[in-house]
C-alpha cells in the first residue's frame, strides 16, 4: 500500500508532481517531507485528503497528501 | 500639505465646466483618501436612491495619500459611484500607473457630474484640463483607444478608458487603465458610458510632497524588507502570480465548479498557475513601485496580453466546466478589450449554462452558440455578445441575478447583493462566506480576504470550517482593507504588513499621528459610511445573505463534502462585533463613536 503525495508550485522544481511513498506504520508528515528532501520552511500548507493536518500526526493507508510552499493571491 | 495635493478637479459634462476646488484636508484625513474619501463625497453629493445610470449619479475617481509617493505599491486609484449591477456603493480598485500619474498632475481626485451630449474624453496635463471630442474613439476596443490616445498625447500619458461594454451600458462593464488593469467590479464602466465619457488621459510632472522624507526612507526600507521576507509576497506571488491558487483551492475542495453545483474540478491541474507558467507565460509585470510583481503577461497563438488572474481562470474555467487554458486566456483578452469584468462575465455565463442545462433557456434563444458546460469555444462569443448586448447576450449583460430572475430561477444566480461571488465556495470556508454576505458591494473577495487566515495561514492559521472567532476576524479584515484601499496601496501588502506598518507609512507621508488602533477605527468609519449609503439606497440587511444553494445544499463531493454555509449562526455575532442592532443597522451610538 502506498500514499500519494502531490507537490505544487516551486516544490516541483527538481521533483515529480506526484510521488508515491510506501506506507508503513507510524508514518507521519515529517517523515514524508524528509524523504522528499523538502526543507521544512518551504512547507506552508500540508493537506491530508484536502484537510489541514499537523506534520507529526500519523498518516493512514491510501491518504492523499498535498504540499504547498507559501502561496497567495486573490 | 503632505501626502495630499489639496486639489479636487470637478468636471461637469453637461455644462462643459472644469473647476479646481480646494480639498477640505480635515475631512480628507478623517476618511483617509481613496475609497473612504470617495464614499464621503458621493454620500454628500448624491441621493443614494437614484438610478445609477441617470445623469444624477456621479463618478468620483480618487487617489490615496500614499498614491504617487515612494511607498511600495503606492500607485492605486479607486472609482466610487453607485453601482448599476448591485444598486450598492461601488468602489472599484485598480493598480498600474494611472493613479500615480493623476497625483503627479496635481490632483487628489476627480468628480464627474452629469452627462455629455456626445462622446467626449478628458485630457489632463498638469493644470491644463480639457474636455475633448471622442467620436473617433467611440466603439473602439480598449487596446485601440489606448494606442490612439497615446499617439495623440505621447507615450508617457496614461490612459484610462471604457470599451464597448461600457458604451453599451453592460452592467458588468469595467474601467480599464494601461490596457490590462481593471477597476473591474460593480459595473463602474457602464456609469462612465452613461455619461458619454470614453476616457481620461493624464500626464503629470509634479511630485507629491512628503512630511518626513528621512523617516519615510527608513520605513520604506523596513516595509520592502518585510515584503521580500514573507513567503507569499517574497516568493509565492512573484513565482506564479495569483493563479497559483487554482490547485490549493481545488485540493481543499472549495473551487466552485459548474456554477457551484460542485466544488472540486478534476481538471484543475490543466488550468493551474503551474500550467500557465509552463505553457503561456511571456513575462512578469509590476505596477507602480511594486516589489511583489504578481502581474503576468501571457501569449497564445491567437492573443496576447495581461493576465489571466486566478479569479479569471476560475470564472472562465471551473465554474464554466472548462479545462482549456488557451480558451480562458482568449476570454480574458476579450473581456479586457471589451471592458467587462472577468468575474461577473464568467460567472454569468456559468449561470446561463445552468439555466440552459435545467431547461429554462431554450435552444432557440442561443443563435447557434453553445451554452453547454465545458464548451470552451463558446465563451469568447458570449463575452462579445454581453459587451455588445447582442441576442441573449443583451439579457446576460445585466448580470446573472437579473438573468436568472427573468427565467423565474433567481436561486441559480451565485451572487450576494447581485454581485457575482468569485472563486471560493463559502461552504468550505466559513469566514469568507460571512465576508461575501456582509460586504458592502456584494459578493466580493477583496473586501475582507478571509482566505488568508482560513486557507493560506496568514497571519495565523484558522480552521476553515470552524465558526469560532470568524465574526471578529471578518470585521477586522474588512476594516483593515478599507484602510489599505483608502491609503492607495495594494491589498497584497497585507500578507506581510500590518496596521502598525500602515500607520507608520501614513504618518511619515502625511504628518498624521495615527496608531494601529486609530487607523483601524478610520477603516470602521469608512465601512459604516458605506453601509449607511446602502441603507439609504434601499439595500437593507435582509440582503446580507448568500444564495440558497450555499445555505441548504451540502457540497456533493471532494474534500469539503457535506458542508453548507452556516450564515444564520455567524451573522448575529458579526452584527454584535460591529456594534450594530440585531437587525444589522448601525446604531446611533456607534455612528456617534465614529464621528458620522
Amino acid at each position: 500500500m502506498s500514499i500519494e503525495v502531490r507537490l505544487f508550485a516551486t516544490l516541483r522544481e527538481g521533483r515529480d508532481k506526484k510521488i508515491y511513498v510506501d506506507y508503513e506504520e507510524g508514518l507521519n508528515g515529517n517523515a514524508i517531507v524528509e524523504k522528499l528532501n523538502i526543507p521544512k520552511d518551504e512547507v506552508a500548507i500540508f493537506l491530508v485528503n484536502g484537510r489541514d493536518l499537523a506534520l507529526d500526526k500519523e498518516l493512514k493507508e491510501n491518504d492523499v497528501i498535498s504540499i504547498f510552499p507559501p502561496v497567495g493571491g486573490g | 500639505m503632505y501626502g495630499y495635493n489639496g486639489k479636487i478637479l470637478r468636471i461637469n459634462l453637461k455644462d462643459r465646466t472644469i473647476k479646481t476646488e480646494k480639498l477640505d484636508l480635515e475631512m480628507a484625513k478623517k476618511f483617509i483618501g481613496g475609497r473612504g474619501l470617495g464614499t464621503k463625497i458621493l454620500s454628500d453629493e448624491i441621493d443614494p436612491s437614484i438610478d445609477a445610470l441617470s445623469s444624477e449619479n456621479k463618478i468620483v475617481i480618487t487617489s490615496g495619500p500614499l498614491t504617487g509617493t515612494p511607498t511600495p505599491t503606492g500607485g492605486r486609484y479607486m472609482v466610487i459611484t453607485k453601482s448599476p449591477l448591485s444598486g450598492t456603493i461601488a468602489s472599484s480598485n485598480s493598480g498600474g500607473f494611472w493613479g500615480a500619474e493623476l497625483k503627479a498632475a496635481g490632483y487628489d481626485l476627480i468628480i464627474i457630474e452629469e452627462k455629455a451630449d456626445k462622446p467626449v474624453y478628458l485630457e489632463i496635463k498638469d493644470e491644463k484640463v480639457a474636455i475633448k471630442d471622442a467620436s473617433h474613439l467611440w466603439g473602439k476596443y480598449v487596446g485601440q483607444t489606448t494606442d490612439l490616445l497615446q499617439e495623440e498625447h505621447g507615450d508617457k500619458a496614461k490612459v484610462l478608458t471604457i470599451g464597448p461594454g461600457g458604451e453599451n451600458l453592460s452592467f458588468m462593464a469595467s474601467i480599464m487603465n494601461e490596457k490590462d488593469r481593471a477597476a473591474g467590479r460593480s459595473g463602474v464602466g457602464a456609469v462612465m458610458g452613461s455619461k458619454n465619457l470614453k476616457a481620461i488621459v493624464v500626464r503629470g510632472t509634479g511630485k507629491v510632497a512628503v512630511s518626513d522624507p528621512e523617516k519615510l526612507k527608513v520605513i520604506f526600507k523596513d516595509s520592502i524588507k518585510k515584503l521580500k521576507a514573507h513567503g507569499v509576497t517574497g516568493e509565492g506571488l512573484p513565482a506564479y502570480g495569483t493563479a497559483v491558487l487554482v490547485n490549493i483551492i481545488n485540493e481543499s475542495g472549495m473551487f466552485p465548479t459548474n456554477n457551484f453545483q460542485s466544488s472540486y474540478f478534476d481538471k484543475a491541474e490543466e488550468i493551474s498557475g503551474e500550467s500557465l507558467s509552463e505553457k503561456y507565460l511571456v513575462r512578469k509585470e509590476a505596477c507602480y513601485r511594486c516589489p511583489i510583481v504578481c502581474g503576468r503577461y501571457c501569449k497564445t497563438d491567437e492573443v496576447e496580453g495581461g493576465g489571466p488572474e486566478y479569479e479569471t481562470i476560475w470564472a472562465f474555467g471551473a465554474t464554466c466546466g472548462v479545462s482549456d487554458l488557451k480558451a480562458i486566456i482568449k476570454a480574458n483578452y476579450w473581456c479586457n478589450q471589451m471592458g467587462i469584468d472577468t468575474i461577473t462575465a464568467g460567472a454569468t455565463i456559468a449561470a446561463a449554462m445552468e439555466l440552459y442545462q435545467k431547461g429554462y433557456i431554450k435552444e432557440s434563444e442561443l443563435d447557434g452558440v453553445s451554452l453547454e458546460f465545458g464548451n470552451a469555444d463558446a465563451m469568447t462569443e458570449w463575452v462579445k455578445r454581453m459587451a455588445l448586448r447582442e441576442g441573449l447576450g443583451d439579457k446576460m449583460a445585466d448580470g446573472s441575478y437579473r438573468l436568472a430572475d427573468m427565467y423565474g430561477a433567481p436561486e441559480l444566480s451565485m451572487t450576494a447583493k447581485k454581485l457575482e461571488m468569485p472563486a471560493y465556495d463559502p461552504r468550505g470556508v466559513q469566514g469568507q462566506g460571512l465576508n461575501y454576505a456582509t460586504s458592502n458591494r456584494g459578493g466580493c473577495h477583496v473586501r475582507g480576504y478571509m482566505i488568508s487566515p482560513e486557507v493560506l495561514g496568514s497571519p495565523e492559521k484558522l480552521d476553515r470550517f470552524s465558526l469560532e472567532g470568524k465574526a471578529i476576524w471578518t470585521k477586522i479584515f474588512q476594516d483593515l482593507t478599507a484602510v489599505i484601499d483608502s491609503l492607495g496601496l495594494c491589498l497584497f501588502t497585507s500578507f506581510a504588513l500590518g496596521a502598525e506598518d500602515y500607520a507608520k507609512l501614513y504618518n511619515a507621508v502625511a504628518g498624521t499621528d495615527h496608531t494601529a488602533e486609530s487607523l483601524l477605527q478610520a477603516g470602521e468609519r469608512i465601512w459604516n459610511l458605506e453601509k449607511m449609503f446602502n441603507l439609504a439606497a434601499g439595500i437593507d440587511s435582509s440582503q446580507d445573505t448568500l444564495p440558497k444553494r450555499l445555505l441548504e445544499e451540502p457540497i456533493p463531493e471532494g474534500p469539503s463534502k457535506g458542508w453548507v454555509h452556516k450564515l444564520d449562526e455567524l451573522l448575529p455575532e458579526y452584527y454584535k462585533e460591529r456594534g450594530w442592532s440585531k437587525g444589522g443597522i448601525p446604531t446611533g451610538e456607534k455612528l456617534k463613536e465614529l464621528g458620522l
Side-chain angles (χ1 to χ4, degrees), chain B residues 400-412:
Chain B
S400 68
Y401 184 85
R402 288 177 180 82
L403 177 76
D405 192 43
M406 214 178 292
Y407 287 95
E411 69 280 6
L412 298 186

Side-chain angles (χ1 to χ4, degrees), chain B residues 3 17 23 70 80 101 144 172 209 218 220 228 235 293 314 346 388 408 414 426 458 488 510 516:
Chain B
T17 53
L23 176 72
I80 296 101
E101 199 72 22
Q144 295 169 323
M172 58 186 74
V218 176
F220 171 80
K228 290 279 182 198
E235 294 169 36
V293 196
W314 163 80
L388 300 173
M414 294 297 118
S458 178

Side-chain angles (χ1 to χ4, degrees), chain B residues 137 139-147 161-168 174-176 178-182 198 297 302-306 329-342 380 383-384 387-388:
Chain B
L137 303 171
K140 296 264 189 308
Y141 299 138
V142 166
Q144 295 169 323
T145 307
T146 306
D147 289 341
T161 185
I162 56 168
E167 295 172 14
N168 291 302
S174 55
I175 292 175
M176 306 295 297
E178 287 100 65
K179 293 184 181 174
D180 297 318
R181 287 277 149 193
K198 175 71 176 176
Y297 188 95
E302 288 183 84
V303 296
E304 64 180 285
I329 293 170
K330 190 174 172 185
N332 175 65
Y333 171 85
W334 279 105
C335 280
N336 289 352
Q337 288 291 0
M338 289 289 185
I340 61 171
D341 172 30
T342 58
T380 290
V383 163
K384 291 179 182 174
L388 300 173

Side-chain angles (χ1 to χ4, degrees), chain B residues 128-399:
Chain B
K128 207 181 120 219
V129 182
I131 298 170
K132 295 199 155 181
D133 175 50
S135 49
H136 62 302
L137 303 171
W138 206 251
K140 296 264 189 308
Y141 299 138
V142 166
Q144 295 169 323
T145 307
T146 306
D147 289 341
L148 282 167
L149 285 171
Q150 283 194 317
E151 270 171 34
E152 210 172 315
H153 299 281
D155 286 349
K156 285 184 177 169
K158 300 287 181 283
V159 177
L160 169 156
T161 185
I162 56 168
E167 295 172 14
N168 291 302
L169 311 182
S170 174
F171 285 12
M172 58 186 74
S174 55
I175 292 175
M176 306 295 297
N177 58 289
E178 287 100 65
K179 293 184 181 174
D180 297 318
R181 287 277 149 193
R185 307 227 65 200
S186 309
V188 292
V191 183
M192 230 172 114
S194 76
K195 297 188 177 305
N196 272 329
L197 179 61
K198 175 71 176 176
I200 305 177
V201 188
V202 183
R203 177 73 186 113
T205 56
K207 217 174 162 188
V208 184
V210 165
S211 167
D212 193 338
E214 288 310 310
K215 201 169 180 186
L216 183 61
K217 261 186 212 166
V218 176
I219 300 166
F220 171 80
K221 273 188 193 160
D222 178 55
S223 307
I224 293 282
K225 208 170 136 189
K226 283 180 178 164
L227 289 164
K228 290 279 182 198
H230 194 278
V232 173
T233 47
E235 294 169 36
L237 280 169
Y240 287 100
T242 57
V244 74
L245 286 181
V246 169
N247 276 324
I248 179 164
I249 301 302
N250 193 54
E251 289 293 300
S252 302
M254 38 180 274
F255 196 48
T257 301
N258 292 358
N259 199 36
F260 290 72
Q261 293 185 77
S262 169
S263 277
Y264 184 79
F265 188 47
D266 55 7
K267 293 171 184 156
E269 180 64 33
E270 294 171 40
I271 60 169
S272 66
E274 290 89 334
S275 296
L276 187 75
S277 286
E278 194 187 312
K279 293 180 184 161
Y280 302 110
L281 180 69
V282 176
R283 61 174 185 268
K284 299 171 184 178
E285 290 190 325
C287 296
Y288 177 84
R289 293 189 78 96
C290 177
I292 305 171
V293 196
C294 74
R296 309 286 107 167
Y297 188 95
C298 291
K299 188 178 178 179
T300 70
D301 53 9
E302 288 183 84
V303 296
E304 64 180 285
E309 301 288 342
Y310 165 67
E311 313 294 338
T312 306
I313 291 179
W314 163 80
F316 289 111
T319 205
C320 287
V322 167
S323 59
D324 179 348
L325 196 47
K326 200 177 127 182
I328 295 169
I329 293 170
K330 190 174 172 185
N332 175 65
Y333 171 85
W334 279 105
C335 280
N336 289 352
Q337 288 291 0
M338 289 289 185
I340 61 171
D341 172 30
T342 58
I343 297 174
T344 287
T348 299
I349 295 171
M353 285 172 165
E354 190 171 354
L355 286 163
Y356 173 72
Q357 180 191 45
K358 300 227 152 83
Y360 293 101
I361 293 178
K362 306 284 180 229
E363 192 75 38
S364 58
E365 296 176 80
L366 304 184
D367 298 325
V369 187
S370 170
L371 265 183
E372 296 273 1
F373 277 111
N375 190 314
D377 295 334
M379 287 192 310
T380 290
E381 192 50 42
W382 287 119
V383 163
K384 291 179 182 174
R385 289 179 187 210
M386 288 191 292
L388 300 173
R389 285 190 171 275
E390 286 176 358
L392 183 64
D394 187 25
K395 291 180 186 170
M396 291 164 70
D398 289 344

Side-chain angles (χ1 to χ4, degrees), chain A residues 6 9 12 45 50-51 66, chain B residues 248 251 269 274 461 464 559:
Chain A
R6 301 173 185 171
R12 289 180 178 178
I45 296 161
R51 305 289 181 94
S66 315
Chain B
I248 179 164
E251 289 293 300
E269 180 64 33
E274 290 89 334
K461 186 85 188 182
R464 62 191 170 97

